[in-house]
Amino acid sequence: MIAAPGQTVALVVFGASALGFGVAVFRTKSMVRSALALLGSMSAVGGLFLALETEFLGVLQLMMMATEMTIMAIFMVMFMMDPGGLGQMDMTHQKRAAVTAGVVGGLIAVALSALPSWAAVVVAAPAPSVQLHDLGIELMSRSMLIFETAGLAILVAMIVATTIALAEKQP
Amino acid sequence: MIASLLAIIGPLAALTLIVACRRTPAVFALGGALVVFGGAVGGLIDASAGGHASLAFAGMPDLPLRLQHDSLTAILSLTVATVALLVFVYAVGYMQAEPDKVRFFAEMSFFAAAMQGVVLAGDWILLLACWELIGLASYLLIGFWYERPLVPVAATRAFLTTRGADLGLYVAVFALVSTAGTSEVGQSVAANTGQFAIGMLLLLAAMGKSAQVPFHGWLQDAMLGPTPVSALLHSATLVAAGVILLIRSAPLFSAPMLTAVAAIGGLTILVTGVTALAQPDLKRMLAASTSSQLGFMLIGVGAGSPIAALVHLVAHAAMKAALFLGAGIFQHALDSTVFAELRGVGRAYPRVFILFALAGLALAGVPPLAGFWSKDPIEAATMESPLGAFLFPLALVGLLLTGAYVARALRLLWQGSAQRRPVPGMAWMLVGLAGVSLLATFLGPALVPTAQFVGGRLPTNVSSQLLGFGTAVLGLLAGWSGFTDRLAAPIASPAARGFRVGDGWIDVAVRPALALARAADRLDLSLYDTSVSAGRIGLGLATGPLARADALVERLVLAVGSDGLLLARASRRFDEVDLDGLIGQLVRATQLLGERVRRLQTGFVSRELLLAASGAAVILVLALAAR
Amino acid sequence: MSPLVLALLVGAGLFGIGLYGALSQTNLVMIMMGIELMLGGALVNLVAFWRYLHPDVYSGQVFVLVVMTAMAVEMAVGFAVGIARFRARGSVEMEEAVDLKG
């Protein structure tokens, strides 16, 4: 149980850092730094989850993101021309359009967030053990199909990825 | 009954034989007349034995034709038959010089049969038929010498006048039969007693046939026929048919109707009596006298005593026939009937004149001649009737007039001198004249038994007898002395014309009818002309204009053909140039569009990502708007 | 400003940044980073909605799990494709990947 004001503060802190790191992803020329910034952003999001008393999801997020960003950084190094970003080439294109799209999309999202009158905020969240238990029950009963499909999708993805990534057999 | 049948069949057989053999017509006609006479006598014997028979034979459904045989019909039948026989005998002599004897005797026999039919008829249908037949016979006989001037007009006038008045009989018969349900005369009359309309219609028919005022003109003109015809038809029989009708339907008449009958009779007596006084022609005077005497009979019926009228009818038949036969002899002697030309003919033919004078005096009512015995009951009846105050003086005036014109005629015929010439057929004529004249003389005493035989009472009154005799003598003296001539001089001319107004019936009926006929004829002709010219136009159309139309049609067909070719060429051009061009343009447009759209496919991932983002945004907006 | 709205704003901001990045970058991996950021924003929104509006219904958390799964799968396949491309062309620059030009 986190008290409401503390929760809000934590929310603001983690949110701001997520946003900051997100901007940093695209401002830096270094690939590695982009990847690390992304990691920071995702971690901030995970911290946000924790602040919102969804412990399981927060932990999950942190674990997954950490792994993913690491792999991404490795890939950067493997395939980039200039992973360090030491070259001065501008690696963006259609900047104007992208900015416009980003701004417009963001504004729409902001409007959709702020304008509607949301229902009253629920103050108390269930205890983590209760959440865990209920989430498990939910997954196993009502959302079983979704769970299974997700598992199948992951399996397929693993197979696909492996297949694509395998080097062609040299005669 | 068989005897009565003979009375009709006899002359019909004679007619057939005359027409078939066309030889010796006089013999057959006389034979027929004898048969009629025999039949009538036999019928009288039958009736006196107490027979009241009737013979019915098929007619209209539920309305059989009947021949009735009782005392009344027997008397009438005998009267008609006797006069007919004597006139036929006379006619043999009269028509000796006539070339067309066949036609004459055939028509006379036809008349004799039809008249017997009228007398013996027991139902209305047969009576009506025979009534019309005697009218037809009258027309044929009056117009016997149709080539002579004025004769056809006279015959037509007689026919139309009587035919017109016969409408009354038609309507009356219809009414009688429909109300009584039977056409038998006695029953239907008994069932309709007091019906004013029917009575008046019957009176109308009687007025027509009996030449009463205002229908009296035709009898005057009918004198243009041969004298036997005048003697038989227009003195004794046909004109008496009206009175016979009234006598037989007498039970139907109520007091007001009888008043009307008597009024008509009285008027006729006066008008025609005065006419007779002023007539310059012997036969026309006798015709006026006939009308007057028939007026007497009507007064008799109107005074309530049909028996008196019957008795006078019988006597008058003999008297008037005798007068006419005598006049006929004079006519043959001097070839004229005008008094001015007949002066002194009496002196030239004394025997004829004596017979003529006897009949004339009888007519005037001098006892012991028949006229006295027959006129007196009528005067007595008028004294007894409720209208006596009017009718008796009228009857006396009638007597006066009768005496006057008879005496006048006798004077005119006697005074002067004429040459005696042999008249062909004199013997026959004398015999006939003698027969009727003797009857006129000696019939008197038989009249009372006759009345009793028929079953009625003959009114007698001593005062009326005396007054009647006195008046008759007075009238004779006045006529002989010429007093009445001077009196009648102012009205002589209109009287001579029978007091006709303008042209009489010619103005009222004949001229409008002829005008209508002429107009119809014109209409007919114009319609015919119209249809003929329409036909001609049709024909014209068929020939001239048709050829032109043909050429026109040919040109039209060719024009259609060339227009068709034109259309075909235009269509092809349209197809090749326009449609193909259109399609080509469509194709090019599509290609152009394809080129433009192709540029979207840049292959740039980023570009495609941008497009995806934009599309997503659009979908989002739409989804939100839908909510 | 309710905490819900604050969280939603964070999510909106992440989404916008991610969209900019996905459209402006030439490198495949960078594009994938932008997509990751967008998905992260979606996750933030989901969790905020679950926590503040419907904490008793766990469909929100299931949704979050599904999105995470999708992120992982997408990254795996994406990198596999990148490897294959690199092997084929020697680079993963998107500007050169115009083989599908019509």
Side-chain angles (χ1 to χ4, degrees):
Chain A
M1 294 305 159
I2 302 176
Q7 191 177 54
T8 314
V9 168
L11 182 75
V12 171
V13 167
F14 282 122
S17 55
L19 284 170
F21 279 121
V23 171
V25 167
F26 300 108
R27 282 192 68 81
T28 175
K29 285 195 181 15
S30 167
M31 292 291 161
V32 177
R33 281 190 195 168
S34 297
L36 288 172
L38 189 63
L39 176 64
S41 177
M42 289 295 115
S43 302
V45 167
L48 190 66
F49 288 172
L50 287 170
L52 289 177
E53 298 169 78
T54 54
E55 278 78 2
F56 176 64
L57 291 177
V59 170
L60 200 64
Q61 170 83 349
L62 285 168
M63 283 190 344
M64 279 180 66
M65 287 306 125
T67 318
E68 284 177 19
M69 294 309 122
T70 312
I71 293 170
M72 196 181 284
I74 293 167
F75 263 92
M76 292 290 168
V77 172
M78 275 207 301
F79 296 124
M80 293 302 114
M81 273 189 315
D82 180 18
L86 297 172
Q88 295 304 312
M89 221 162 56
D90 183 10
M91 303 301 277
T92 61
H93 58 196
Q94 59 178 27
K95 213 160 176 185
R96 230 183 335 192
V99 167
T100 313
V103 165
V104 167
L107 279 174
I108 289 175
V110 163
L112 285 175
S113 312
L115 290 178
S117 57
W118 300 110
V121 167
V122 177
V123 176
S129 57
V130 173
Q131 280 188 39
L132 209 61
H133 170 262
D134 288 342
L135 182 60
I137 296 293
E138 175 73 27
L139 277 176
M140 287 300 155
S141 60
R142 220 170 65 142
S143 307
M144 172 63 92
L145 192 64
I146 299 165
F147 194 42
E148 293 288 332
T149 310
L152 201 65
I154 292 167
L155 176 66
V156 169
M158 282 199 286
I159 295 168
V160 162
T162 312
T163 311
I164 293 173
L166 275 177
E168 285 169 22
K169 284 234 174 70
Q170 302 290 345
Chain B
M1 199 63 227
I2 312 227
S4 307
L5 259 179
L6 272 178
I8 298 180
I9 293 173
L12 278 177
L15 166 69
T16 319
L17 284 169
I18 292 170
V19 170
C21 300
R22 298 201 158 260
R23 259 207 281 166
T24 63
V27 172
F28 291 125
L30 267 178
L34 274 169
V35 171
V36 174
F37 183 72
V41 169
L44 185 66
I45 296 172
D46 273 347
S48 64
H52 176 120
S54 93
L55 185 72
F57 43 98
M60 289 169 40
D62 291 334
L63 300 170
L65 299 176
R66 268 179 247 266
L67 282 178
Q68 191 164 311
H69 178 74
D70 56 28
S71 46
L72 175 66
T73 60
I75 293 291
L76 288 170
S77 172
L78 184 60
T79 311
V80 170
T82 314
V83 175
L85 178 61
L86 292 168
V87 168
F88 269 59
V89 168
Y90 174 92
V92 173
Y94 187 87
M95 298 301 257
Q96 249 188 8
E98 174 62 41
D100 203 355
K101 286 202 262 270
V102 170
R103 189 156 57 94
F104 178 79
F105 281 111
E107 285 167 4
M108 289 290 267
S109 302
F110 171 62
F111 171 79
M115 191 64 210
Q116 288 293 328
V118 169
V119 164
L120 290 170
D123 82 300
W124 286 111
I125 313 287
L126 186 61
L127 188 129
L128 197 57
C130 293
W131 186 276
E132 294 299 328
L133 286 175
I134 58 176
L136 173 65
S138 163
Y139 170 76
L140 290 171
L141 285 164
I142 295 171
F144 185 72
W145 289 315
Y146 51 81
E147 306 98 351
R148 298 191 191 177
L150 298 176
V151 169
V153 171
T156 314
R157 184 181 181 191
F159 187 66
L160 285 178
T161 311
T162 50
R163 199 81 170 83
D166 288 348
L167 280 174
L169 186 58
Y170 274 98
V171 177
V173 165
F174 182 74
L176 276 167
V177 173
S178 48
T179 47
T182 171
S183 63
E184 205 260 322
V185 173
Q187 286 173 359
S188 52
V189 163
N192 280 292
T193 52
Q195 294 284 337
F196 189 76
I198 295 177
M200 287 303 104
L201 289 167
L202 288 172
L203 177 61
L204 179 70
M207 281 160 63
K209 268 287 191 295
S210 298
Q212 300 295 293
V213 168
F215 298 108
H216 62 283
W218 71 267
L219 195 57
Q220 310 267 320
D221 291 342
M223 294 299 112
L224 289 172
T227 308
V229 170
S230 310
L232 183 56
L233 275 70
H234 303 120
S235 61
T237 50
L238 185 140
V239 293
V243 181
I244 294 173
L245 180 69
L246 285 176
I247 292 173
R248 291 193 76 174
S249 56
L252 190 141
F253 284 80
S254 61
M257 292 196 262
L258 289 175
T259 314
V261 172
I264 297 286
L267 186 62
T268 307
I269 289 176
L270 285 177
V271 171
T272 50
V274 173
T275 310
L277 270 182
Q279 278 290 351
D281 183 296
L282 172 61
K283 278 183 79 175
R284 289 174 86 93
M285 184 217 90
L286 289 174
S289 163
T290 308
S291 290
S292 186
Q293 297 304 312
L294 290 167
F296 258 105
M297 292 180 222
L298 254 77
I299 279 188
V301 173
S305 177
I307 298 295
L310 174 69
V311 161
H312 190 50
L313 189 150
V314 173
H316 172 262
M319 301 186 287
K320 196 47 69 61
L323 285 169
F324 267 110
L325 294 183
I329 295 175
F330 295 145
Q331 183 187 26
H332 262 344
L334 292 177
D335 266 333
S336 165
T337 51
V338 177
F339 275 124
E341 292 166 28
L342 285 174
R343 294 189 146 278
V345 73
R347 272 193 240 263
Y349 299 88
R351 276 179 300 179
V352 176
F353 186 74
I354 288 172
L355 292 167
F356 182 85
L358 271 174
L361 288 171
L363 189 66
V366 174
L369 302 173
F372 174 74
W373 298 92
S374 70
K375 279 207 170 129
D376 177 62
I378 292 178
E379 286 147 33
T382 57
M383 282 185 88
E384 288 176 15
S385 91
L387 302 159
F390 286 109
L391 293 182
F392 188 66
L394 260 177
L396 285 181
V397 169
L399 271 180
L400 195 69
L401 286 171
T402 312
Y405 61 65
V406 164
R408 171 177 173 263
L410 289 174
R411 172 173 56 87
L412 287 172
L413 289 173
W414 179 258
Q415 286 173 345
S417 64
Q419 201 181 24
R420 189 197 166 90
R421 279 189 314 198
V423 176
M426 185 61 139
W428 286 99
M429 290 199 279
L430 260 181
V431 170
L433 173 58
V436 268
S437 195
L438 286 169
L439 271 176
T441 312
F442 296 113
L443 195 59
L447 288 175
V448 172
T450 309
Q452 285 169 342
F453 175 66
V454 174
R457 185 192 74 87
L458 213 56
T460 49
N461 195 315
V462 177
S463 52
S464 75
Q465 280 176 340
L466 285 172
L467 268 173
F469 174 56
T471 320
V473 169
L474 202 65
L476 282 168
L477 284 172
W480 185 267
S481 64
F483 178 69
T484 45
D485 279 0
R486 282 195 291 279
L487 220 63
I491 54 160
S493 164
R497 289 186 328 158
F499 294 107
R500 227 183 293 189
V501 181
D503 263 336
W505 289 111
I506 294 179
D507 258 351
V508 172
V510 174
R511 285 226 180 84
L514 285 177
L516 188 67
R518 274 192 284 273
D521 184 46
R522 275 198 297 274
L523 178 71
D524 216 17
L525 280 174
S526 70
L527 281 174
Y528 171 76
D529 280 341
T530 311
S531 52
V532 164
S533 47
R536 284 225 188 83
I537 289 170
L539 268 179
L541 274 171
T543 55
L546 205 69
R548 285 199 294 277
D550 221 17
L552 200 76
V553 168
E554 203 184 297
R555 273 212 306 279
L556 208 69
V557 169
L558 285 175
V560 168
S562 65
D563 283 343
L565 283 173
L566 214 74
L567 262 167
R569 276 195 284 275
S571 163
R572 192 180 70 184
R573 205 187 52 237
F574 176 72
D575 212 21
E576 288 172 2
V577 173
D578 299 330
L579 274 180
D580 285 354
L582 201 69
I583 292 171
Q585 277 191 328
L586 261 171
V587 168
R588 274 194 293 282
T590 315
Q591 281 178 334
L592 219 67
L593 193 66
E595 293 281 317
R596 294 244 175 83
V597 172
R598 196 184 175 202
R599 283 193 216 137
L600 270 176
Q601 286 289 97
T602 53
F604 287 125
V605 176
S606 50
R607 191 56 64 107
E608 283 165 28
L609 277 171
L610 181 65
L611 285 171
S614 314
V618 168
I619 290 170
L620 184 68
V621 168
L622 283 174
L624 281 172
R627 256 170 44 84
Chain C
M1 189 78 83
S2 75
L4 171 64
V5 177
L6 283 170
L8 292 179
L9 284 175
V10 170
L14 282 173
F15 179 78
I17 294 163
L19 188 61
Y20 162 75
L23 294 177
S24 68
Q25 297 299 313
T26 58
N27 198 304
L28 174 67
V29 180
M30 296 305 291
I31 294 171
M32 283 172 67
M33 279 191 211
I35 293 168
E36 292 291 309
L37 275 171
M38 280 198 276
L39 286 169
L43 280 173
V44 167
N45 268 31
L46 278 168
V47 171
F49 278 132
W50 177 84
R51 167 63 182 86
Y52 287 120
L53 293 181
H54 298 287
D56 48 338
V57 181
Y58 287 89
S59 317
Q61 294 209 9
V62 170
F63 203 158
V64 171
L65 287 175
V66 169
V67 174
M68 282 185 190
T69 310
M71 283 165 77
V73 164
E74 163 247 330
M75 209 175 280
V77 175
F79 283 137
V81 167
I83 289 171
R85 174 109 189 134
F86 191 81
R87 277 217 191 96
R89 294 299 159 91
S91 120
V92 287
E93 293 296 315
M94 289 299 107
E95 293 245 315
E96 296 160 21
V98 290
D99 300 44
L100 285 175
K101 184 175 165 70

